[in-house]
Amino acid sequence: MIGVDGRIYEGRGWGNAGMHTLGYNQISYAITFIGQFRTKNVPQIAVNAALRLIKCGVELEHLLPDYTIHTHQDAFCSDCPGKSLRLQVQKWPHYEGLETGCGMIGD
């Protein structure tokens, strides 16, 4: 989890399966931003923290160098992670999305 102040909080940690996205828990990690980001952007300090965390995952060999990034909404019809955050994440390196989601709720 990442706070709007850029502070990173450990959930289950590397090497432990999460409970974030049915069907993907064993093959992925989740990063959660604390807050509501349907209409406002995640502060850049928090985005930078997420990107540093991903880089750390690669350096520690918990993530493959050719990892891909997806949002919860790419996999399921959901308002998560919120329209503004999803638009931000789509600009990140390695963002790939998935074909199985339902697109943007409310678009």
Side-chain angles (χ1 to χ4, degrees), residues 6-86:
R7 186 175 301 223
I8 298 172
Y9 300 89
E10 184 176 16
R12 293 180 183 237
W14 301 114
N16 297 300
M19 297 288 291
H20 47 85
T21 310
L22 184 65
Y24 297 92
N25 295 319
Q26 300 295 323
I27 61 169
S28 64
Y29 290 102
I31 296 175
T32 302
F33 291 91
I34 300 169
Q36 183 279 103
F37 302 103
R38 290 180 188 92
T39 59
K40 63 181 179 179
N41 286 340
V42 173
Q44 192 61 45
I45 192 168
V47 169
N48 293 344
L51 296 174
R52 284 193 317 273
L53 179 61
I54 293 167
K55 182 180 177 186
C56 178
V58 172
E59 290 171 354
L60 294 174
E61 299 182 351
H62 295 293
L63 297 174
L64 297 172
D66 63 345
Y67 67 89
T68 57
I69 294 176
H70 312 272
T71 68
H72 193 237
Q73 194 172 62
D74 291 324
F76 296 101
C77 285
S78 168
D79 192 31
C80 179
K83 184 175 182 176
S84 290
L85 177 52
R86 186 165 197 264

